[in-house]
Amino acid sequence: MRIDGLQYCNWSRRIFQEMRAGGVDAVHVTIAYHEVFRETVLQIERWNRYFEDHGDLIVPARTAADVDAARASGRTAIIFGAQNPSPIEDDIGLVEILHTLGLRFMQLTYNNQSLLATGCYEVEDPGLTRMGREVVAEMNRVGLVVDMSHSADRSTIEAAEHSARPIAITHANPFDWHPARRNKRAEVIEAVVASGGMMGFSLYPHHLKDGSACTLDGFCAMMADMAERYGVQHFGIGSDLCQDQPDSVVEWMRVGRWTKQIDYGEGSADNAGFPPQPEWFASNADFPNLERGLRDVGFDDAGVAALMGRNWYDFFDKNFGPL
Amino acid sequence: MRIDGLQYCNWSRRIFQEMRAGGVDAVHVTIAYHEVFRETVLQIERWNRYFEDHGDLIVPARTAADVDAARASGRTAIIFGAQNPSPIEDDIGLVEILHTLGLRFMQLTYNNQSLLATGCYEVEDPGLTRMGREVVAEMNRVGLVVDMSHSADRSTIEAAEHSARPIAITHANPFDWHPARRNKRAEVIEAVVASGGMMGFSLYPHHLKDGSACTLDGFCAMMADMAERYGVQHFGIGSDLCQDQPDSVVEWMRVGRWTKQIDYGEGSADNAGFPPQPEWFASNADFPNLERGLRDVGFDDAGVAALMGRNWYDFFDKNFGPL
C-alpha cells in the first residue's frame, strides 16, 4: 500500500495516470490555502468534475474503507484537506459542513497567525486561541484531523496536548536534519508522537538537506533515524509534491490576500519560484524509488510497508470519523 | 409507516416530541425559501445543532435505509429540501454539493420566475429555461428530486417530460377539488403521474376546500377520488405544516427579497398571516386522525399504509441517489 500524506499538483489526467503508474493507493490533496468557504466549495466542485471525467483513475475517499475499495478497483483514493482554517471563516458550524463535504485534514494555520493558532513565520506564538480550543474539540468530535505542518512550535505542542485525538504534521522534516523554518524541532515531534500522531516526510526541496540535490539515500537514512528514535509507526510520506504548478501558485501560497508586498517565504528574490524536485522524486510515478531507498537503508518488508502507506491507512482508519 | 412530504415548522423540542407522539417516521423539511448557498448552509448548520441536541428524537436521513434505521431506533428521520433553486445560485456544481450535504428535494421555482423555470404566480410561463434543462439533468444524475409544487403548469409538464426520473409535487391539492392558484390542474397531475412521480396532499388551509373549516372526511374523500382516478401508488401526504411560525415567516416566504412591496400570495390584506389549521390536523401528533379518516372513506390496510408513508418511502428508495 502506498499513500501520500500531501500533494498540491496542477491536476491533470497525466498526473492521475502517474498515480496509477506509481501504484499510489491514496493521496491527501490540498483544496484550500487562503480560500474562504465559498471558494473552497468551488474547489470541491472542481474535484467533482475530475471524479466524473477521470473516474477510471481516481475516486473520492472519506474513510480507510474507501481506500480499500479504491485499491480493489485499481484507482487512487483522493482525500481532501485544507492548509489553513480560512474555509471555516469565523464559523465553527462549518467544521461539520466541510467534514460532510469530505474534508479530513485541516491546518490550524498557514505560516501566519489565524483565528485559531500561530503560524511558523510569526515572531510571537501565544498558542491556541479561544476559538482554536473550541475548533479543535469540534474537529475531534466529527473526525477532522488537526494538521500543524505550517504552525509555530508552542501552538503545535498545545494543539497536540489539547486535542483528544492524535494530530498530524502531514508534510515536514526534522529541524535537526535540515534547519529550515518549516521543519520541526524535536520537542514538537515528541508532542505529536505522544498524541499518537503521524508525521509525513516532505520531498519539497526547501525542506530537504541539500535542497534539490538531496540524495535518496540521505532522505531514507533520515527516515531510518526517525523510526529508530520515535517508532516507525508514527511516520509516512507527505511529499508536498506541487507538480506542474506555475510559479504564480507558490506566490499565492505565500502572499494570499494578507499583504500587498511580495513575501518569499522559504524562497528568496533570487529563487522565488518552485525549486526543481530531486531527480529521484519528480512525480507520483517515482514512488517505487522511495520503496527501493528504504530497503537500501535496511528496512524490512514490514517497515517499508508501514512507511510507504500502512501507517497513514491505520491513522485514517482511527481518525476520519466520529469516535 | 408514516411520512410527511413537507413541513416548515418553527422547530423546537416540543415539535420533535409531537413527531414521535404522532408516530411520524420521516419528514421532508424545508431548509430554504429565498436563501442563497451560504445562507442555506447556515440552515444546515442549525439542523446539525438540532441533531446534536435532540438526537434522542430526530436523525438526519439521506436514503430510504436511513428511514428504516430511524424507525428501528424510535426516532424521526429528517430529509432536507429547498422550495426554490436559490441555494444553487447560478452554479450547477452546487447541485452535487447540496446533495452531498443532504438535500433530496428542490423546487425549480417558488411562485416567481427563477433561472430554471416559471412559478405559479407569473402571467407568462415560457417553460424550462436553458439552465433549467441542464439542472434537471444534473439533479437526475445525483439523485436530487425535482419538486414542482410552486411552479406554473407548462413548466411543470416540461419538467416531468424532460426529467429522466420521476418528479414530485410534494405539497398541493387538485385544482378541480379546490381552485386555488397553488393547486394542480388535471393535465399537470397527469404529467407527474406519467413520470412515475408522487404528489403529497396539503393540509395548508389555503389549499383546502372550505379552508380551515375543511372536514377530515372531505379531505380523505378527495384522496379516495384521486387514488381511484390515477392509482393509489402516486399519492401521499405533504402537509405543508408551518406550526408555531410567526406571521413574519409567511411574509418572508411571499416577499423574500424580490420586491419592496407587500405581496399577499394566497392571503389578502384582511387575512395576511398564517391561517388556522383544521382542528383535526394541528400538529404532527394528529397523524393518527388522517389514518382514521382514510379508513372511514373505505381504504383497506394496504391503501392506508401506501398513502400514509409507504409510497413516499418507495419513492425515496428509487430517487435519492445516483441511478
Side-chain angles (χ1 to χ4, degrees):
Chain A
M1 184 175 291
R2 292 176 186 151
I3 296 180
D4 195 347
L6 192 126
Q7 294 188 16
Y8 186 68
C9 297
N10 189 2
W11 309 109
S12 63
R13 184 163 182 87
R14 184 168 56 76
I15 289 177
F16 301 141
Q17 286 167 331
E18 286 168 352
M19 287 178 180
R20 299 313 311 143
V24 181
D25 296 301
V27 179
H28 161 213
V29 304
T30 294
I31 62 166
Y33 282 89
H34 306 283
E35 286 81 354
V36 296
F37 176 69
R38 183 66 180 92
E39 294 168 314
T40 304
V41 169
L42 285 170
Q43 295 306 311
I44 298 173
E45 294 178 40
R46 199 174 147 208
W47 273 105
N48 283 341
R49 293 293 295 274
Y50 291 141
F51 296 132
E52 268 199 84
D53 295 344
H54 309 290
D56 55 325
L57 301 173
I58 57 170
V59 63
R62 283 121 191 273
T63 63
D66 289 343
V67 176
D68 293 327
R71 266 191 110 188
S73 66
R75 295 180 290 177
T76 300
I78 301 292
I79 295 145
F80 297 151
Q83 293 213 25
N84 208 14
S86 54
I88 67 163
E89 301 173 356
D90 60 356
D91 180 358
I92 197 169
L94 289 176
V95 170
E96 184 168 0
I97 295 289
L98 283 161
H99 185 270
T100 302
L101 289 173
L103 203 76
R104 289 296 177 271
F105 289 93
M106 186 172 79
Q107 292 187 183
L108 300 193
T109 68
Y110 187 80
N111 297 349
N112 288 4
Q113 180 68 39
S114 75
L115 297 181
L116 311 181
T118 306
C120 60
Y121 278 79
E122 294 286 359
V123 174
E124 298 293 335
D125 175 10
L128 279 189
T129 65
R130 280 157 53 90
M131 185 177 177
R133 298 175 69 85
E134 298 301 317
V135 167
V136 167
E138 179 71 355
M139 292 171 74
N140 288 165
R141 185 180 73 84
V142 301
L144 177 57
V145 176
V146 173
D147 182 358
M148 297 303 276
S149 298
H150 283 254
S151 298
D153 293 359
R154 178 179 165 191
S155 285
T156 304
I157 293 166
E158 287 189 15
E161 289 172 355
H162 177 66
S163 176
R165 303 178 74 172
I167 75 164
I169 290 172
T170 57
H171 58 303
N173 291 325
F175 187 89
D176 291 345
W177 179 65
H178 176 61
R181 195 188 288 246
R182 272 272 285 101
N183 285 338
K184 301 304 174 190
R185 287 187 167 77
E187 59 266 36
V188 170
I189 297 169
E190 280 158 20
V192 172
V193 163
S195 83
M198 273 289 289
M199 179 169 177
F201 294 120
S202 168
L203 291 147
Y204 186 59
H206 288 308
H207 305 158
L208 297 173
K209 186 192 278 191
D210 304 321
S212 303
C214 180
T215 64
L216 176 59
D217 188 62
F219 182 77
C220 292
M222 174 274 288
M223 288 180 72
D225 178 58
M226 293 295 285
E228 193 174 343
R229 201 173 297 201
Y230 299 100
V232 71
Q233 69 274 20
H234 295 290
F235 300 105
I237 300 294
S239 73
D240 208 1
L241 185 68
C242 295
Q243 195 184 339
D244 295 345
Q245 294 285 18
D247 288 343
S248 57
V249 165
V250 76
E251 188 178 309
W252 160 251
M253 292 173 183
R254 292 165 177 167
V255 169
R257 288 177 286 240
W258 67 272
T259 174
K260 294 158 76 179
Q261 314 298 319
I262 291 295
D263 181 272
Y264 293 111
E266 298 172 287
S268 61
D270 290 349
N271 185 18
F274 281 109
Q277 285 294 118
E279 49 84 23
W280 45 270
F281 193 81
S283 82
N284 280 279
D286 289 334
F287 269 84
N289 289 342
L290 290 177
E291 205 160 307
R292 182 167 48 78
L294 290 172
R295 288 192 195 286
D296 288 350
V297 298
F299 282 103
D300 61 9
D301 284 354
V304 170
L307 292 167
M308 290 302 296
R310 182 56 60 180
N311 290 343
W312 274 128
Y313 177 90
D314 291 343
F315 185 84
F316 297 173
D317 197 34
K318 287 195 203 91
N319 297 297
F320 275 3
L323 274 178
Chain B
M1 183 174 292
R2 293 176 185 152
I3 297 180
D4 194 347
L6 192 126
Q7 295 188 15
Y8 185 69
C9 297
N10 189 2
W11 309 110
S12 64
R13 184 163 181 86
R14 183 169 56 77
I15 289 177
F16 302 141
Q17 286 167 330
E18 286 168 352
M19 287 178 179
R20 298 315 310 143
V24 181
D25 296 301
V27 179
H28 161 215
V29 304
T30 294
I31 61 165
Y33 283 91
H34 305 284
E35 286 83 354
V36 295
F37 176 68
R38 183 67 180 91
E39 294 168 315
T40 304
V41 168
L42 285 170
Q43 294 306 311
I44 297 173
E45 293 178 40
R46 199 177 147 203
W47 273 104
N48 284 340
R49 294 292 296 274
Y50 291 141
F51 296 132
E52 268 198 83
D53 294 345
H54 309 289
D56 55 326
L57 301 173
I58 56 169
V59 62
R62 282 119 192 273
T63 62
D66 290 342
V67 176
D68 293 327
R71 266 193 109 189
S73 66
R75 295 181 290 177
T76 300
I78 301 293
I79 295 146
F80 296 153
Q83 294 213 24
N84 208 14
S86 55
I88 68 163
E89 300 174 357
D90 60 356
D91 180 357
I92 196 168
L94 289 177
V95 170
E96 184 168 0
I97 295 288
L98 283 162
H99 185 270
T100 302
L101 290 173
L103 203 76
R104 289 297 178 270
F105 288 93
M106 186 173 80
Q107 290 187 183
L108 300 193
T109 67
Y110 188 80
N111 297 350
N112 287 3
Q113 180 69 39
S114 75
L115 297 182
L116 310 182
T118 305
C120 59
Y121 279 79
E122 294 286 358
V123 175
E124 297 293 334
D125 176 9
L128 278 189
T129 66
R130 279 157 54 91
M131 186 178 176
R133 298 175 70 86
E134 298 301 317
V135 167
V136 168
E138 180 70 355
M139 292 171 75
N140 289 165
R141 184 180 74 82
V142 301
L144 176 56
V145 176
V146 173
D147 182 359
M148 297 302 275
S149 299
H150 283 254
S151 298
D153 293 0
R154 178 178 164 190
S155 286
T156 305
I157 292 166
E158 286 188 15
E161 289 172 354
H162 178 65
S163 177
R165 302 177 76 171
I167 73 164
I169 290 172
T170 57
H171 57 304
N173 291 325
F175 187 91
D176 291 344
W177 178 65
H178 176 60
R181 196 189 288 245
R182 272 273 285 100
N183 284 339
K184 301 303 173 189
R185 287 187 168 75
E187 59 266 36
V188 170
I189 297 170
E190 280 159 19
V192 172
V193 163
S195 83
M198 272 290 289
M199 180 169 177
F201 295 119
S202 167
L203 290 147
Y204 186 60
H206 287 309
H207 305 158
L208 297 174
K209 185 192 276 189
D210 304 321
S212 303
C214 180
T215 64
L216 175 59
D217 188 63
F219 182 77
C220 291
M222 175 275 287
M223 287 179 74
D225 178 58
M226 293 296 285
E228 193 174 344
R229 203 174 296 202
Y230 298 101
V232 71
Q233 70 274 19
H234 294 290
F235 300 105
I237 299 294
S239 74
D240 207 1
L241 185 68
C242 295
Q243 195 184 339
D244 294 345
Q245 293 285 18
D247 288 342
S248 57
V249 165
V250 75
E251 187 178 311
W252 160 250
M253 293 173 183
R254 291 166 178 166
V255 169
R257 288 178 286 240
W258 67 272
T259 174
K260 295 159 74 181
Q261 314 300 320
I262 291 296
D263 181 271
Y264 293 110
E266 298 172 286
S268 61
D270 290 349
N271 184 18
F274 281 109
Q277 285 294 118
E279 48 83 25
W280 44 270
F281 193 82
S283 84
N284 280 278
D286 289 333
F287 269 84
N289 290 341
L290 290 177
E291 205 161 307
R292 182 167 49 78
L294 290 173
R295 288 191 197 286
D296 287 350
V297 299
F299 282 103
D300 61 10
D301 284 353
V304 170
L307 291 168
M308 290 302 296
R310 181 56 60 180
N311 290 342
W312 274 127
Y313 177 90
D314 291 343
F315 185 84
F316 297 172
D317 196 36
K318 288 197 203 89
N319 296 298
F320 275 3
L323 274 179

